[in-house]
Amino acid sequence: GINAEYGGLTYSNKPRERTMKLLLLLFFCALCTAIPILRELASKKGIYIGSAANYFRVTSGETNYTTILGQQFSIITPENGMKWDATEPQRNQFTFTQGDAIVNYANAHGQKVRGHNLCWGASNPSWLENGHFSPQELSSILENHVKTVVSHYRNQGAVYSWDVVNEAVSDNPQPGNVLKHNVWYPALPNYIDLAFQWAKEANPNVKLFYNDYGAEGSGAKSDAVYQLVKSMKQRGIPIDGVGLQMHVADSYYPSQQSLESNIARLAELGLEVHITEMDVNLDGSGSEQQKLQKQASVYQSILQACLSHSACKSFESWGFTDKYTWLGSDKQPLEFDVNYDPKPCFFSLAQTLQ
């Protein structure tokens, strides 16, 4: 008889064999469509949903990684590829290989990109950290870096926003001692203002964010971040939003109410809010199943808080598979397991977006 290939199944003209194979094909097609597509659900709610994207994974040809990242998410953040040590490893010698690969991937998959980040006290090359530069030299180095990197991506429509300054506020802020000491501070005391102003000059159309952890709900650090960005707005510094990282655990996370209140007060300043780096470390007590269900409820409550206010426009996790996470696979912090199977927290996100 006549045989032809359909979706990897051989089509035969023998009626019973043909019927069985068609039923099998229908079964496999049903399996393919059983998993919700988060980006389709999120777009109906008017928000982006996303993940950090690792350059080495995106370019490795690992099909599960590259397929799910493109299918499920509408916004991605280079995990490391746009940080200072990746983009300016030697003074005034810029390399955009990693960032370009992420942007090209995003363009190919109809995604936006959160540029991350222009100025931080970590992930800096040794020439910068150990350069013993004067304040004037630091200012010149910062201006050159911010303007060069932002300008490079200026005409690439995928880049939606930049985390201009990352993690500047102390974990235990005190009056008169709010900012972390690093290569920029206190040597260049107004470095935050300068970085935002230079980013705006380099691209007036991209959104500019301050991004931090431990400031998601209520507390001293959250108040310090709020006061920082409120002061910037009052003084005319060009800031468009705040990124709340959300590195939490099944035993430690902000209440939905405290997060909603924080989003609301930031929104009143005219700022957009993004959840930028969420993961939920499984370090609590209980059975594996209990911990996975608790994790799912944490993801759900944070997404519900974001959906509660129109100012919250993006919800991202820091990666999407437990196979590749900065916390280590044993912490199981993300939506897909090490075999790329969706976990309860994936389905809780999908359900919340329904």
Side-chain angles (χ1 to χ4, degrees), residues 139 142-143 146-147 193-203:
S139 179
L142 183 60
E143 180 177 10
V146 168
K147 288 185 173 179
D193 288 358
L194 292 172
F196 276 85
Q197 288 168 327
W198 289 327
K200 186 72 170 179
E201 287 176 31
N203 184 354

Side-chain angles (χ1 to χ4, degrees), residues 171-226:
D171 292 339
N172 185 26
Q174 306 292 332
N177 191 19
V178 171
L179 300 182
K180 288 177 180 171
H181 287 224
N182 55 34
V183 67
W184 307 109
Y185 187 85
L188 194 61
N190 61 333
Y191 82 97
I192 297 174
D193 288 358
L194 292 172
F196 276 85
Q197 288 168 327
W198 289 327
K200 186 72 170 179
E201 287 176 31
N203 184 354
N205 300 315
V206 75
K207 298 194 178 195
L208 307 180
F209 276 67
Y210 174 77
N211 188 55
D212 215 331
Y213 64 89
E216 297 89 358
S218 57
K221 185 167 182 178
S222 176
D223 291 345
V225 168
Y226 172 77

Side-chain angles (χ1 to χ4, degrees), residues 238-315:
I239 178 171
D240 300 297
V242 173
L244 304 175
Q245 291 184 12
M246 205 65 66
H247 293 294
V248 296
D250 56 348
S251 61
Y252 166 77
Y253 53 92
S255 72
Q256 185 176 330
Q257 184 180 6
S258 69
L259 177 57
E260 287 180 8
S261 297
N262 196 31
I263 292 171
R265 69 173 177 171
L266 292 167
E268 284 171 11
L269 298 176
L271 295 171
E272 196 169 304
V273 179
H274 291 182
I275 308 300
T276 54
E277 305 183 18
M278 186 163 179
D279 39 33
V280 183
N281 184 338
L282 290 191
D283 68 357
S285 57
S287 69
E288 183 84 351
Q289 197 55 40
Q290 286 171 325
K291 291 197 282 187
L292 288 170
Q293 289 301 330
K294 179 63 177 178
Q295 180 182 59
S297 74
V298 174
Y299 268 100
Q300 184 169 38
S301 73
I302 302 305
L303 179 54
Q304 283 173 336
C306 180
L307 292 172
S308 77
H309 206 296
S310 60
C312 189
K313 298 190 183 302
S314 181
F315 179 98

Side-chain angles (χ1 to χ4, degrees), residues 100-119:
D100 287 356
I102 300 291
V103 170
N104 291 339
Y105 177 93
N107 281 325
H109 292 84
Q111 296 167 316
K112 293 295 186 184
V113 174
R114 295 189 83 263
H116 176 84
N117 58 65
L118 298 171
C119 180

